[in-house]
Amino acid sequence: MVLSAILIADLLLVIKRPHVPSPKESGLWVGFYVTLALIFAGLMFLIAGADAGGEFVAGWLTEYSLSIDNLFVFVLIMAQFSVPRRMQQRVLMIGIILALLFRGIFILLGAALIANFSWVFYIFGAFLLVTAAQQAFSGREDDEERESKLIGFLRKRIPITDEYDGMKMRTRIDGKVFFTPLLIVLIAIGTTDVIFALDSIPAIFGITQSPFIVFTANVFALMGLRQLYFLLGHLVDKLEYLKYGIAFILAFIGVKLVLHALHENELPFINGGEHVPVPEIDTWTSLIVILVAMAVAVVLSLLKIRREGRYLPTAIIGGGGDDDKEVAAAATAAAEVESTETRSER
């Protein structure tokens, strides 16, 4: 109930005060939500015990890292469809609500499968290993290509305008009904949410089988994602090694799931239906691996940015007016410097 109330309050804030938050405001909100998650983790340690607390922290960190990757796709969608700044908060909130809805559905399905079929861990593990390979070896160009195909598919089948009409998905031009680009944006975001829900739910079930911990970890991971977009939207694309850190985490959890499946094996064609004596990875080992993987990926990315001397604007989206002009001018200057350096290297 408390988590739902916080999400509803955040939604009402967007509706009543539609604005582009400053980096300071975004940072304070992100800090607030992270603090809430840590307080909740502390309560889990005190009330449910160390194992449950460790499972929540490990699950929250895993889901948070996947949410950051999800955030990059949101950034890509917003840029590709030129969503006006004044609309981005509401679009993001819709995306977050859809993500929570889809994850809730997959949590229920995953819990039901686990309760009835122990062999489903083999499928979850294999799925995460494949996902990890795709994460590591597919480029951002693949995301752009998929979005371009989506645009082409929709534009051939329904009349879509080039201009937005606020948050309306349909508008009238010369008496004729047209869809606005907002329809494509919401379809793209909804599709992204489904894909990431498919990735994230098996990942966290590899850490804990408690539906309560799975759900709360997902909720806390999604809290503050809207503010994180405005705080780090410009930086996510520059964290070049982040996807490798996430891929490593997914692969690690995939291996953990396969080991767990072997340990609980009931399939007759594997070891005669008997449990396979393999080592299992405990929660604290998982937590350490997740922390180290994310820390190494972020630190290496920041070191590369510093080594190459690339400019990092204070926000991808300013609050309007002179600040926007300064950020745009700085970004343009940085692009010119990078372009000059590239030509000199050639």
Side-chain angles (χ1 to χ4, degrees):
M1 290 297 292
V2 175
L3 300 182
S4 299
I6 293 172
L7 283 175
I8 292 172
D10 200 8
L11 175 60
L12 291 175
L13 183 65
V14 173
I15 295 173
K16 289 187 175 182
R17 294 183 60 235
H19 69 292
V20 179
S22 66
K24 181 179 179 180
E25 180 185 347
S26 299
L28 289 173
W29 275 108
V30 171
F32 170 72
Y33 285 122
V34 170
T35 301
L36 276 183
L38 294 176
I39 291 172
F40 185 84
L43 292 174
M44 289 289 292
F45 275 99
L46 290 174
I47 298 172
D51 287 341
E55 287 176 359
F56 171 78
V57 174
W60 171 61
L61 289 173
T62 300
E63 295 302 303
Y64 206 73
S65 64
L66 288 169
S67 294
I68 292 174
D69 204 38
N70 197 347
L71 183 68
F72 171 82
V73 183
F74 284 171
V75 171
L76 184 68
I77 292 171
M78 296 289 189
Q80 186 165 358
F81 295 106
S82 302
V83 179
R85 290 192 295 272
R86 65 183 181 277
M87 293 171 50
Q88 290 182 3
Q89 283 227 63
R90 293 186 179 185
V91 173
L92 280 169
M93 183 52 70
I94 292 173
I96 292 169
I97 291 173
L98 288 175
L100 187 60
L101 176 64
F102 290 135
R103 292 187 188 196
I105 292 171
F106 284 121
I107 287 169
L108 293 175
L109 290 175
L113 287 172
I114 289 170
N116 293 283
F117 308 103
S118 62
W119 48 262
V120 76
F121 286 109
Y122 286 113
I123 297 175
F124 282 178
F127 178 78
L128 287 182
L129 289 172
V130 172
T131 303
Q134 292 176 339
Q135 175 79 14
F137 299 111
S138 65
R140 298 303 187 188
E141 297 80 8
D142 296 337
D143 294 322
E144 294 176 358
E145 184 180 350
R146 282 193 291 269
E147 299 302 334
S148 297
K149 289 180 178 178
L150 174 64
I151 297 171
F153 176 82
L154 291 175
R155 285 194 182 279
K156 287 179 180 178
R157 286 160 178 80
I158 56 177
I160 300 176
T161 66
D162 294 325
E163 301 294 330
Y164 289 88
D165 187 9
M167 289 297 293
K168 295 179 181 178
M169 284 191 288
R170 293 197 306 172
T171 188
R172 284 185 177 274
I173 300 176
D174 297 330
K176 295 182 180 179
V177 177
F178 289 85
F179 288 95
T180 69
L182 181 62
L183 174 66
I184 303 179
V185 171
L186 294 180
I187 291 175
I189 285 180
T191 304
T192 299
D193 286 334
V194 171
I195 293 171
F196 276 92
L198 284 171
D199 293 344
S200 65
I201 299 308
I204 195 169
F205 270 119
I207 296 171
T208 177
Q209 280 81 62
S210 167
F212 174 75
I213 296 177
V214 171
F215 182 74
T216 52
N218 271 277
V219 172
F220 277 110
L222 292 172
M223 281 184 175
L225 191 63
R226 176 172 61 85
Q227 291 84 357
L228 194 64
Y229 170 87
F230 292 100
L231 181 66
L232 295 180
H234 69 284
L235 185 58
V236 173
D237 189 29
K238 295 180 176 63
L239 297 178
E240 297 183 23
Y241 298 116
L242 180 63
K243 69 172 187 176
Y244 298 110
I246 295 173
F248 179 82
I249 291 172
L250 292 176
F252 170 78
I253 298 175
V255 171
K256 180 181 177 181
L257 279 170
V258 172
L259 291 175
H260 179 75
L262 290 169
H263 189 269
E264 301 294 327
N265 178 62
E266 295 178 353
L267 295 178
F269 53 85
I270 298 178
N271 197 35
E274 299 294 328
H275 302 336
V276 180
V278 295
E280 285 205 88
I281 303 171
D282 60 79
T283 301
W284 293 102
T285 301
S286 301
L287 179 57
I288 292 170
V289 169
I290 292 166
L291 281 170
V292 171
M294 290 308 300
V296 169
V298 172
V299 169
L300 288 178
S301 298
L302 293 175
L303 287 175
K304 184 175 182 180
I305 292 171
R306 183 177 180 182
R307 184 172 63 253
E308 295 178 353
R310 282 184 282 166
Y311 175 80
L312 292 180
T314 55
I316 186 173
I317 305 165
D322 294 336
D323 290 339
D324 274 354
K325 294 177 182 178
E326 290 176 5
V327 172
T332 302
E336 290 176 354
V337 170
E338 288 188 7
S339 177
T340 302
E341 290 175 353
T342 301
R343 287 196 297 271
S344 63
E345 288 176 1
R346 291 176 181 175

